[in-house]
Amino acid sequence: MGLFERYLSVWVGISIILGVILGCVIPDFFALVASLEYAHVNIVVAVLIWLMVYPMMIQIDFSSIKDVGKKPKGLALTLIINWLIKPFTMAALGWLFFKGFFADWVDPQSANEYIAGMILLGVAPCTAMVFVWSQLTKGDANYTLVQVSINDIIMIFAFAPLTALLLGVSDIQVPWNTLLISVLLYVLLPLIAGVLTRSTLDKRAEAPGKHTNVDNFVAQLKPWSIIGLLATVVLLFGFQAQTILAKPQTIVLIAIPLIIQTYGIFAVAYFIAKRLKLPHNVAGPASMIGTSNFFELAVAVAISLFGLHSGAALATVVGVLVEVPVMLSLVYIVNRTQHWFD
């Protein structure tokens, strides 16, 4: 685990502070960046999201799908949590807190946007950081690839309609064209580019069956991926600087249901994994995949649907801040409970 992954929450925290400061010092710059849009998609943010997503897509080995039948229970657990439980519990928690508990503290329009941001996080299962969580919990790397590959295929077809369904239930108008463009731009195209890149690099490998070229290329892209993530956080919090300073309690209000959701989903997934008698190196990653989010996609779609300055975008960015330290605590729990699965 590299320096960046080990202290990811620190770097994200520094980027948040920097973004807020710059948003107050040079607001005209952020206004200019915000104006660079095409079809409701911000060009600068799109480039940064691609910097994050593309290297991660290269790491996905779709040839590993042929091994899915060897351990079907772990995959079934991940898919059930990701697509039948998590999106709906996230929407329910958003509605419960911002239409119920926090109704007196948040205006109705902001409440709807915060709920929308939470829904986008809930409908986007983890694609990237899951490899880190799997490694930290001594998970089966090949099986993790299978789970991620299947999730990505499902996400291409399920993300847009499921998001539209849940946003519609929350009385939020959904521009389908923008949503479909976002899925195409941030999931399908990077996925195709990643598969083609991986195939090309593997063909040039000196040792057949080895992925040395892929590993080396991803290592070269890693600094750009880091820059993409941190620059995105700086921009997002720069756009939201005035709101954050005016309502600092908003960050806390958004974080509360997100934290409850993360620990709750993990508890359900880990309990089921134990009942299914999954091996620890499958149970750990399966639960972590079902718990974490593809926050890059959620942030991008929130910006596309609701705008750079929206509450939905802010909620997805808070998701980035919350996820890393919470997931690291879950890594600790998984490693400390290995004896449960012996």
Side-chain angles (χ1 to χ4, degrees), residues 42-326:
N42 184 268
I43 298 173
V44 177
V45 175
V47 172
L48 295 176
I49 295 294
W50 256 77
L51 285 177
M52 287 187 281
V53 175
Y54 174 58
M56 298 164 187
M57 294 299 190
I58 297 174
Q59 299 179 65
I60 299 174
D61 183 8
F62 282 88
S63 64
S64 60
I65 294 178
K66 65 180 183 298
D67 298 324
V68 68
K70 295 180 179 179
K71 301 173 184 175
K73 292 182 179 179
L75 179 60
L77 171 61
T78 301
L79 297 181
I80 290 172
I81 293 293
N82 276 343
W83 300 106
L84 298 181
I85 297 178
K86 181 180 176 182
F88 301 96
T89 56
M90 184 72 92
L93 280 173
W95 187 91
L96 176 64
F97 276 88
F98 287 105
K99 294 294 187 179
F101 299 148
F102 300 156
D104 294 335
W105 300 336
V106 181
D107 65 88
Q109 180 178 349
S110 296
N112 283 338
E113 292 185 355
Y114 299 151
I115 294 171
M118 291 181 60
I119 288 173
L120 290 172
L121 287 170
V123 180
C126 189
T127 293
M129 290 299 292
V130 64
F131 294 109
V132 177
W133 311 138
S134 179
Q135 179 184 2
L136 293 178
T137 55
K138 301 178 178 63
D140 184 328
N142 292 330
Y143 198 75
T144 300
L145 285 174
V146 170
Q147 292 172 304
V148 171
S149 301
I150 295 295
N151 264 315
D152 277 352
I153 292 174
I154 294 176
M155 184 157 48
I156 291 172
F157 300 100
F159 179 85
L162 187 55
T163 299
L165 170 66
L166 291 175
L167 292 181
V169 168
S170 299
D171 297 324
I172 299 171
Q173 296 299 316
V174 181
W176 268 89
N177 290 340
T178 301
L179 188 57
L180 292 173
I181 289 173
S182 297
V183 174
L184 176 68
L185 183 62
Y186 299 118
V187 179
L188 183 57
L189 291 182
L191 192 60
I192 293 173
V195 170
L196 293 177
T197 301
R198 186 183 183 91
S199 175
T200 301
L201 292 172
D202 281 341
K203 289 179 180 178
R204 297 177 180 176
E206 296 180 0
K210 300 294 183 180
H211 303 293
T212 305
N213 289 347
V214 172
D215 295 338
N216 291 338
F217 185 61
V218 171
Q220 293 175 5
L221 292 178
K222 189 174 182 180
W224 293 102
S225 181
I226 296 171
I227 291 172
L229 172 60
L230 298 183
T232 301
V233 173
V234 170
L235 281 180
L236 293 177
F237 275 85
F239 298 140
Q240 300 282 351
Q242 301 300 326
T243 301
I244 292 170
L245 292 179
K247 301 178 180 179
Q249 72 275 11
T250 299
I251 303 298
V252 177
L253 296 182
I254 296 172
I256 290 173
L258 290 178
I259 292 173
I260 293 174
Q261 163 79 0
T262 303
Y263 282 115
I265 287 295
F266 173 80
V268 171
Y270 209 48
F271 173 78
I272 296 176
K274 188 176 186 302
R275 297 289 293 179
L276 292 175
K277 298 181 179 180
L278 298 178
H280 184 262
N281 65 349
V282 171
S287 301
M288 306 296 277
I289 292 172
T291 303
S292 53
N293 306 306
F294 189 1
F295 56 76
E296 298 93 340
L297 175 64
V299 169
V301 175
I303 293 171
S304 299
L305 290 176
F306 302 99
L308 291 164
H309 302 280
S310 66
L314 178 61
T316 56
V317 174
V318 174
V320 181
L321 178 63
V322 168
E323 176 168 324
V324 175
V326 170

Side-chain angles (χ1 to χ4, degrees), residues 4-27:
F4 172 67
E5 291 87 354
R6 187 181 301 276
Y7 298 104
L8 181 58
S9 57
V10 175
W11 311 136
V12 171
I14 293 173
S15 298
I16 289 172
I17 296 172
L18 181 61
V20 172
I21 293 174
L22 293 177
C24 295
V25 175
I26 49 174

